[in-house]
mmCIF file of all heavy atoms in Angstrom:
data_model
loop_
_atom_site.group_PDB
_atom_site.id
_atom_site.type_symbol
_atom_site.label_atom_id
_atom_site.label_comp_id
_atom_site.label_asym_id
_atom_site.label_seq_id
_atom_site.Cartn_x
_atom_site.Cartn_y
_atom_site.Cartn_z
ATOM 1 N N LEU A 16 57.394 53.358 -21.356
ATOM 2 C CA LEU A 16 57.137 54.311 -20.261
ATOM 3 C C LEU A 16 58.241 54.270 -19.218
ATOM 4 O O LEU A 16 58.439 55.241 -18.481
ATOM 5 C CB LEU A 16 55.774 54.018 -19.622
ATOM 6 C CG LEU A 16 54.566 54.151 -20.568
ATOM 7 C CD1 LEU A 16 53.282 53.770 -19.852
ATOM 8 C CD2 LEU A 16 54.487 55.583 -21.111
ATOM 9 N N SER A 17 58.944 53.138 -19.111
ATOM 10 C CA SER A 17 60.067 53.096 -18.145
ATOM 11 C C SER A 17 61.397 53.045 -18.899
ATOM 12 O O SER A 17 62.350 52.408 -18.465
ATOM 13 C CB SER A 17 59.917 51.891 -17.215
ATOM 14 O OG SER A 17 59.822 50.694 -17.963
ATOM 15 N N TYR A 18 61.443 53.720 -20.043
ATOM 16 C CA TYR A 18 62.683 53.896 -20.821
ATOM 17 C C TYR A 18 63.334 52.552 -21.185
ATOM 18 O O TYR A 18 64.555 52.477 -21.291
ATOM 19 C CB TYR A 18 63.681 54.800 -20.071
ATOM 20 C CG TYR A 18 63.067 56.125 -19.728
ATOM 21 C CD1 TYR A 18 62.555 56.378 -18.457
ATOM 22 C CD2 TYR A 18 62.973 57.141 -20.688
ATOM 23 C CE1 TYR A 18 61.962 57.593 -18.157
ATOM 24 C CE2 TYR A 18 62.396 58.351 -20.386
ATOM 25 C CZ TYR A 18 61.889 58.585 -19.131
ATOM 26 O OH TYR A 18 61.307 59.764 -18.839
ATOM 27 N N HIS A 19 62.539 51.532 -21.359
ATOM 28 C CA HIS A 19 63.033 50.201 -21.759
ATOM 29 C C HIS A 19 64.095 49.646 -20.801
ATOM 30 O O HIS A 19 64.963 48.885 -21.200
ATOM 31 C CB HIS A 19 63.602 50.235 -23.183
ATOM 32 C CG HIS A 19 62.546 50.576 -24.211
ATOM 33 N ND1 HIS A 19 61.499 49.726 -24.472
ATOM 34 C CD2 HIS A 19 62.382 51.659 -24.989
ATOM 35 C CE1 HIS A 19 60.718 50.293 -25.396
ATOM 36 N NE2 HIS A 19 61.229 51.471 -25.710
ATOM 37 N N GLU A 20 64.002 50.057 -19.522
ATOM 38 C CA GLU A 20 64.995 49.596 -18.565
ATOM 39 C C GLU A 20 64.543 48.369 -17.798
ATOM 40 O O GLU A 20 65.310 47.775 -17.048
ATOM 41 C CB GLU A 20 65.348 50.724 -17.581
ATOM 42 C CG GLU A 20 66.213 51.787 -18.217
ATOM 43 C CD GLU A 20 66.435 53.002 -17.342
ATOM 44 O OE1 GLU A 20 65.804 53.068 -16.263
ATOM 45 O OE2 GLU A 20 67.212 53.883 -17.735
ATOM 46 N N ASN A 21 63.284 47.986 -17.971
ATOM 47 C CA ASN A 21 62.749 46.899 -17.133
ATOM 48 C C ASN A 21 62.224 45.698 -17.926
ATOM 49 O O ASN A 21 61.336 45.004 -17.475
ATOM 50 C CB ASN A 21 61.614 47.439 -16.252
ATOM 51 C CG ASN A 21 62.123 48.506 -15.299
ATOM 52 O OD1 ASN A 21 63.150 48.330 -14.641
ATOM 53 N ND2 ASN A 21 61.436 49.648 -15.262
ATOM 54 N N TRP A 22 62.764 45.504 -19.140
ATOM 55 C CA TRP A 22 62.361 44.323 -19.884
ATOM 56 C C TRP A 22 62.749 43.062 -19.125
ATOM 57 O O TRP A 22 63.822 42.994 -18.542
ATOM 58 C CB TRP A 22 63.030 44.288 -21.263
ATOM 59 C CG TRP A 22 62.395 45.197 -22.276
ATOM 60 C CD1 TRP A 22 62.803 46.438 -22.639
ATOM 61 C CD2 TRP A 22 61.235 44.917 -23.041
ATOM 62 N NE1 TRP A 22 61.979 46.964 -23.593
ATOM 63 C CE2 TRP A 22 60.994 46.046 -23.850
ATOM 64 C CE3 TRP A 22 60.348 43.837 -23.121
ATOM 65 C CZ2 TRP A 22 59.906 46.112 -24.749
ATOM 66 C CZ3 TRP A 22 59.290 43.904 -24.002
ATOM 67 C CH2 TRP A 22 59.072 45.039 -24.800
ATOM 68 N N GLN A 23 61.855 42.061 -19.197
ATOM 69 C CA GLN A 23 62.177 40.779 -18.554
ATOM 70 C C GLN A 23 63.348 40.120 -19.291
ATOM 71 O O GLN A 23 63.583 40.390 -20.455
ATOM 72 C CB GLN A 23 60.958 39.830 -18.579
ATOM 73 C CG GLN A 23 60.597 39.279 -19.952
ATOM 74 C CD GLN A 23 59.645 40.186 -20.753
ATOM 75 O OE1 GLN A 23 59.559 41.378 -20.487
ATOM 76 N NE2 GLN A 23 58.968 39.606 -21.722
ATOM 77 N N ARG A 24 64.104 39.267 -18.594
ATOM 78 C CA ARG A 24 65.145 38.505 -19.241
ATOM 79 C C ARG A 24 64.515 37.503 -20.190
ATOM 80 O O ARG A 24 63.458 36.944 -19.933
ATOM 81 C CB ARG A 24 65.999 37.782 -18.206
ATOM 82 C CG ARG A 24 66.831 38.735 -17.350
ATOM 83 C CD ARG A 24 67.863 37.974 -16.572
ATOM 84 N NE ARG A 24 68.978 37.576 -17.440
ATOM 85 C CZ ARG A 24 70.106 38.274 -17.540
ATOM 86 N NH1 ARG A 24 70.273 39.386 -16.848
ATOM 87 N NH2 ARG A 24 71.054 37.882 -18.350
ATOM 88 N N ALA A 25 65.181 37.259 -21.333
ATOM 89 C CA ALA A 25 64.576 36.392 -22.342
ATOM 90 C C ALA A 25 64.625 34.924 -21.919
ATOM 91 O O ALA A 25 63.788 34.144 -22.302
ATOM 92 C CB ALA A 25 65.290 36.580 -23.673
ATOM 93 N N TRP A 26 65.661 34.555 -21.141
ATOM 94 C CA TRP A 26 65.725 33.183 -20.648
ATOM 95 C C TRP A 26 66.536 33.163 -19.349
ATOM 96 O O TRP A 26 67.247 34.097 -19.026
ATOM 97 C CB TRP A 26 66.337 32.227 -21.668
ATOM 98 C CG TRP A 26 67.654 32.676 -22.249
ATOM 99 C CD1 TRP A 26 68.884 32.589 -21.660
ATOM 100 C CD2 TRP A 26 67.849 33.320 -23.509
ATOM 101 N NE1 TRP A 26 69.830 33.114 -22.485
ATOM 102 C CE2 TRP A 26 69.237 33.558 -23.627
ATOM 103 C CE3 TRP A 26 67.009 33.682 -24.572
ATOM 104 C CZ2 TRP A 26 69.787 34.178 -24.763
ATOM 105 C CZ3 TRP A 26 67.555 34.278 -25.687
ATOM 106 C CH2 TRP A 26 68.927 34.537 -25.775
ATOM 107 N N ARG A 27 66.375 32.049 -18.589
ATOM 108 C CA ARG A 27 67.092 31.894 -17.321
ATOM 109 C C ARG A 27 68.548 31.500 -17.593
ATOM 110 O O ARG A 27 68.893 31.116 -18.712
ATOM 111 C CB ARG A 27 66.441 30.778 -16.486
ATOM 112 C CG ARG A 27 64.973 31.003 -16.151
ATOM 113 C CD ARG A 27 64.357 29.673 -15.702
ATOM 114 N NE ARG A 27 64.293 28.738 -16.818
ATOM 115 C CZ ARG A 27 64.668 27.460 -16.754
ATOM 116 N NH1 ARG A 27 65.176 26.986 -15.638
ATOM 117 N NH2 ARG A 27 64.576 26.674 -17.824
ATOM 118 N N SER A 28 69.362 31.541 -16.555
ATOM 119 C CA SER A 28 70.717 30.977 -16.633
ATOM 120 C C SER A 28 70.855 29.958 -15.514
ATOM 121 O O SER A 28 71.474 30.233 -14.489
ATOM 122 C CB SER A 28 71.771 32.053 -16.482
ATOM 123 O OG SER A 28 71.800 32.872 -17.631
ATOM 124 N N PRO A 29 70.249 28.766 -15.672
ATOM 125 C CA PRO A 29 70.154 27.825 -14.567
ATOM 126 C C PRO A 29 71.482 27.123 -14.299
ATOM 127 O O PRO A 29 72.324 26.999 -15.183
ATOM 128 C CB PRO A 29 69.111 26.835 -15.044
ATOM 129 C CG PRO A 29 69.202 26.888 -16.515
ATOM 130 C CD PRO A 29 69.652 28.266 -16.899
ATOM 131 N N LYS A 30 71.650 26.643 -13.054
ATOM 132 C CA LYS A 30 72.737 25.727 -12.733
ATOM 133 C C LYS A 30 72.327 24.361 -13.305
ATOM 134 O O LYS A 30 71.168 23.974 -13.219
ATOM 135 C CB LYS A 30 72.879 25.588 -11.214
ATOM 136 C CG LYS A 30 73.537 26.764 -10.548
ATOM 137 C CD LYS A 30 74.935 26.379 -10.045
ATOM 138 C CE LYS A 30 75.672 27.555 -9.431
ATOM 139 N NZ LYS A 30 75.947 28.630 -10.377
ATOM 140 N N PRO A 31 73.276 23.635 -13.896
ATOM 141 C CA PRO A 31 72.881 22.319 -14.457
ATOM 142 C C PRO A 31 72.420 21.376 -13.350
ATOM 143 O O PRO A 31 72.989 21.353 -12.258
ATOM 144 C CB PRO A 31 74.170 21.827 -15.105
ATOM 145 C CG PRO A 31 75.264 22.722 -14.663
ATOM 146 C CD PRO A 31 74.660 23.971 -14.184
ATOM 147 N N LYS A 32 71.342 20.621 -13.651
ATOM 148 C CA LYS A 32 70.910 19.557 -12.732
ATOM 149 C C LYS A 32 71.869 18.384 -12.875
ATOM 150 O O LYS A 32 72.736 18.367 -13.743
ATOM 151 C CB LYS A 32 69.494 19.113 -13.117
ATOM 152 C CG LYS A 32 68.417 20.155 -12.868
ATOM 153 C CD LYS A 32 67.022 19.548 -13.062
ATOM 154 C CE LYS A 32 66.378 20.065 -14.311
ATOM 155 N NZ LYS A 32 65.079 19.493 -14.623
ATOM 156 N N SER A 33 71.729 17.396 -11.995
ATOM 157 C CA SER A 33 72.647 16.247 -12.055
ATOM 158 C C SER A 33 72.232 15.289 -13.167
ATOM 159 O O SER A 33 73.033 14.470 -13.602
ATOM 160 C CB SER A 33 72.663 15.528 -10.720
ATOM 161 O OG SER A 33 71.378 15.005 -10.448
ATOM 162 N N ASP A 34 70.999 15.425 -13.652
ATOM 163 C CA ASP A 34 70.486 14.392 -14.534
ATOM 164 C C ASP A 34 69.374 14.959 -15.432
ATOM 165 O O ASP A 34 68.542 15.720 -14.965
ATOM 166 C CB ASP A 34 69.910 13.255 -13.670
ATOM 167 C CG ASP A 34 69.697 12.005 -14.481
ATOM 168 O OD1 ASP A 34 70.692 11.465 -14.982
ATOM 169 O OD2 ASP A 34 68.524 11.602 -14.626
ATOM 170 N N TYR A 35 69.426 14.588 -16.717
ATOM 171 C CA TYR A 35 68.376 15.021 -17.652
ATOM 172 C C TYR A 35 67.875 13.823 -18.479
ATOM 173 O O TYR A 35 68.591 12.840 -18.622
ATOM 174 C CB TYR A 35 68.935 16.069 -18.616
ATOM 175 C CG TYR A 35 69.199 17.416 -17.971
ATOM 176 C CD1 TYR A 35 70.467 17.726 -17.493
ATOM 177 C CD2 TYR A 35 68.176 18.364 -17.865
ATOM 178 C CE1 TYR A 35 70.723 18.964 -16.902
ATOM 179 C CE2 TYR A 35 68.431 19.599 -17.275
ATOM 180 C CZ TYR A 35 69.684 19.881 -16.809
ATOM 181 O OH TYR A 35 69.933 21.116 -16.220
ATOM 182 N N ASP A 36 66.674 13.984 -19.018
ATOM 183 C CA ASP A 36 66.196 12.969 -19.968
ATOM 184 C C ASP A 36 67.011 13.059 -21.257
ATOM 185 O O ASP A 36 67.412 12.049 -21.826
ATOM 186 C CB ASP A 36 64.702 13.187 -20.289
ATOM 187 C CG ASP A 36 63.813 12.821 -19.107
ATOM 188 O OD1 ASP A 36 64.291 12.019 -18.260
ATOM 189 O OD2 ASP A 36 62.703 13.336 -19.018
ATOM 190 N N VAL A 37 67.188 14.295 -21.731
ATOM 191 C CA VAL A 37 67.935 14.494 -22.979
ATOM 192 C C VAL A 37 68.912 15.670 -22.809
ATOM 193 O O VAL A 37 68.533 16.707 -22.262
ATOM 194 C CB VAL A 37 66.995 14.804 -24.172
ATOM 195 C CG1 VAL A 37 67.817 15.014 -25.431
ATOM 196 C CG2 VAL A 37 65.973 13.702 -24.366
ATOM 197 N N ILE A 38 70.144 15.457 -23.228
ATOM 198 C CA ILE A 38 71.084 16.580 -23.324
ATOM 199 C C ILE A 38 71.351 16.836 -24.795
ATOM 200 O O ILE A 38 71.639 15.904 -25.569
ATOM 201 C CB ILE A 38 72.418 16.258 -22.596
ATOM 202 C CG1 ILE A 38 72.201 16.344 -21.071
ATOM 203 C CG2 ILE A 38 73.521 17.202 -23.032
ATOM 204 C CD1 ILE A 38 73.440 15.988 -20.267
ATOM 205 N N ILE A 39 71.221 18.086 -25.189
ATOM 206 C CA ILE A 39 71.601 18.493 -26.541
ATOM 207 C C ILE A 39 72.929 19.225 -26.422
ATOM 208 O O ILE A 39 73.039 20.202 -25.664
ATOM 209 C CB ILE A 39 70.540 19.431 -27.167
ATOM 210 C CG1 ILE A 39 69.167 18.736 -27.240
ATOM 211 C CG2 ILE A 39 70.999 19.898 -28.539
ATOM 212 C CD1 ILE A 39 69.118 17.521 -28.139
ATOM 213 N N ILE A 40 73.944 18.748 -27.145
ATOM 214 C CA ILE A 40 75.251 19.427 -27.126
ATOM 215 C C ILE A 40 75.262 20.398 -28.297
ATOM 216 O O ILE A 40 75.106 20.008 -29.462
ATOM 217 C CB ILE A 40 76.405 18.422 -27.244
ATOM 218 C CG1 ILE A 40 76.305 17.356 -26.169
ATOM 219 C CG2 ILE A 40 77.745 19.154 -27.149
ATOM 220 C CD1 ILE A 40 77.300 16.218 -26.339
ATOM 221 N N GLY A 41 75.442 21.657 -28.002
ATOM 222 C CA GLY A 41 75.496 22.670 -29.053
ATOM 223 C C GLY A 41 74.299 23.602 -29.026
ATOM 224 O O GLY A 41 73.177 23.190 -29.292
ATOM 225 N N GLY A 42 74.543 24.860 -28.636
ATOM 226 C CA GLY A 42 73.470 25.848 -28.518
ATOM 227 C C GLY A 42 73.434 26.794 -29.702
ATOM 228 O O GLY A 42 73.319 27.997 -29.543
ATOM 229 N N GLY A 43 73.496 26.229 -30.877
ATOM 230 C CA GLY A 43 73.219 27.013 -32.084
ATOM 231 C C GLY A 43 71.763 26.860 -32.470
ATOM 232 O O GLY A 43 70.970 26.308 -31.713
ATOM 233 N N GLY A 44 71.400 27.367 -33.636
ATOM 234 C CA GLY A 44 70.016 27.315 -34.085
ATOM 235 C C GLY A 44 69.475 25.886 -34.100
ATOM 236 O O GLY A 44 68.389 25.621 -33.576
ATOM 237 N N HIS A 45 70.243 24.969 -34.688
ATOM 238 C CA HIS A 45 69.741 23.594 -34.829
ATOM 239 C C HIS A 45 69.558 22.920 -33.451
ATOM 240 O O HIS A 45 68.558 22.242 -33.230
ATOM 241 C CB HIS A 45 70.712 22.748 -35.649
ATOM 242 C CG HIS A 45 70.727 23.115 -37.108
ATOM 243 N ND1 HIS A 45 70.574 22.178 -38.105
ATOM 244 C CD2 HIS A 45 70.874 24.285 -37.721
ATOM 245 C CE1 HIS A 45 70.650 22.804 -39.283
ATOM 246 N NE2 HIS A 45 70.838 24.088 -39.068
ATOM 247 N N GLY A 46 70.495 23.152 -32.552
ATOM 248 C CA GLY A 46 70.395 22.532 -31.217
ATOM 249 C C GLY A 46 69.238 23.120 -30.429
ATOM 250 O O GLY A 46 68.476 22.389 -29.788
ATOM 251 N N LEU A 47 69.084 24.441 -30.476
ATOM 252 C CA LEU A 47 67.998 25.091 -29.737
ATOM 253 C C LEU A 47 66.656 24.694 -30.326
ATOM 254 O O LEU A 47 65.690 24.465 -29.596
ATOM 255 C CB LEU A 47 68.188 26.615 -29.778
ATOM 256 C CG LEU A 47 69.426 27.127 -29.019
ATOM 257 C CD1 LEU A 47 69.779 28.538 -29.406
ATOM 258 C CD2 LEU A 47 69.204 27.009 -27.518
ATOM 259 N N ALA A 48 66.587 24.576 -31.657
ATOM 260 C CA ALA A 48 65.329 24.161 -32.289
ATOM 261 C C ALA A 48 65.010 22.738 -31.870
ATOM 262 O O ALA A 48 63.836 22.412 -31.578
ATOM 263 C CB ALA A 48 65.445 24.249 -33.816
ATOM 264 N N THR A 49 66.031 21.876 -31.799
ATOM 265 C CA THR A 49 65.803 20.498 -31.370
ATOM 266 C C THR A 49 65.214 20.474 -29.952
ATOM 267 O O THR A 49 64.227 19.777 -29.677
ATOM 268 C CB THR A 49 67.129 19.706 -31.385
ATOM 269 O OG1 THR A 49 67.692 19.791 -32.690
ATOM 270 C CG2 THR A 49 66.893 18.237 -31.033
ATOM 271 N N ALA A 50 65.805 21.257 -29.052
ATOM 272 C CA ALA A 50 65.322 21.307 -27.676
ATOM 273 C C ALA A 50 63.884 21.815 -27.615
ATOM 274 O O ALA A 50 63.035 21.283 -26.886
ATOM 275 C CB ALA A 50 66.236 22.192 -26.822
ATOM 276 N N TYR A 51 63.600 22.851 -28.426
ATOM 277 C CA TYR A 51 62.254 23.418 -28.443
ATOM 278 C C TYR A 51 61.220 22.380 -28.900
ATOM 279 O O TYR A 51 60.175 22.207 -28.263
ATOM 280 C CB TYR A 51 62.241 24.655 -29.356
ATOM 281 C CG TYR A 51 60.830 25.144 -29.643
ATOM 282 C CD1 TYR A 51 60.102 25.802 -28.695
ATOM 283 C CD2 TYR A 51 60.273 24.949 -30.910
ATOM 284 C CE1 TYR A 51 58.811 26.251 -28.965
ATOM 285 C CE2 TYR A 51 58.995 25.379 -31.205
ATOM 286 C CZ TYR A 51 58.255 26.033 -30.234
ATOM 287 O OH TYR A 51 56.992 26.453 -30.510
ATOM 288 N N TYR A 52 61.535 21.678 -30.011
ATOM 289 C CA TYR A 52 60.560 20.718 -30.528
ATOM 290 C C TYR A 52 60.455 19.467 -29.629
ATOM 291 O O TYR A 52 59.401 18.854 -29.570
ATOM 292 C CB TYR A 52 60.882 20.334 -31.974
ATOM 293 C CG TYR A 52 60.629 21.481 -32.945
ATOM 294 C CD1 TYR A 52 61.679 22.065 -33.648
ATOM 295 C CD2 TYR A 52 59.348 21.990 -33.120
ATOM 296 C CE1 TYR A 52 61.462 23.126 -34.507
ATOM 297 C CE2 TYR A 52 59.126 23.054 -33.976
ATOM 298 C CZ TYR A 52 60.163 23.624 -34.676
ATOM 299 O OH TYR A 52 59.938 24.688 -35.517
ATOM 300 N N LEU A 53 61.539 19.123 -28.929
ATOM 301 C CA LEU A 53 61.438 18.028 -27.951
ATOM 302 C C LEU A 53 60.386 18.393 -26.909
ATOM 303 O O LEU A 53 59.565 17.565 -26.523
ATOM 304 C CB LEU A 53 62.784 17.795 -27.276
ATOM 305 C CG LEU A 53 63.773 16.859 -27.952
ATOM 306 C CD1 LEU A 53 65.136 16.909 -27.236
ATOM 307 C CD2 LEU A 53 63.264 15.441 -28.017
ATOM 308 N N ALA A 54 60.440 19.622 -26.414
ATOM 309 C CA ALA A 54 59.502 20.057 -25.391
ATOM 310 C C ALA A 54 58.103 20.274 -25.958
ATOM 311 O O ALA A 54 57.106 19.834 -25.396
ATOM 312 C CB ALA A 54 60.011 21.347 -24.731
ATOM 313 N N ARG A 55 58.039 20.928 -27.096
ATOM 314 C CA ARG A 55 56.780 21.337 -27.660
ATOM 315 C C ARG A 55 56.021 20.178 -28.310
ATOM 316 O O ARG A 55 54.827 19.996 -28.101
ATOM 317 C CB ARG A 55 57.057 22.448 -28.680
ATOM 318 C CG ARG A 55 55.953 22.793 -29.628
ATOM 319 C CD ARG A 55 54.891 23.662 -28.958
ATOM 320 N NE ARG A 55 53.694 23.628 -29.759
ATOM 321 C CZ ARG A 55 53.423 24.484 -30.705
ATOM 322 N NH1 ARG A 55 54.241 25.464 -30.951
ATOM 323 N NH2 ARG A 55 52.306 24.389 -31.405
#
Side-chain angles (χ1 to χ4, degrees):
Chain A
L16 298 178
S17 56
Y18 304 99
H19 296 294
E20 286 173 354
N21 298 312
W22 281 100
Q23 70 272 22
R24 292 192 75 96
W26 52 79
R27 302 163 292 133
S28 289
K30 284 251 177 296
K32 292 189 252 177
S33 63
D34 195 63
Y35 289 94
D36 288 337
V37 179
I38 285 177
I39 301 296
I40 306 172
H45 290 231
L47 294 164
T49 304
Y51 169 74
Y52 290 116
L53 274 172
R55 165 78 198 269

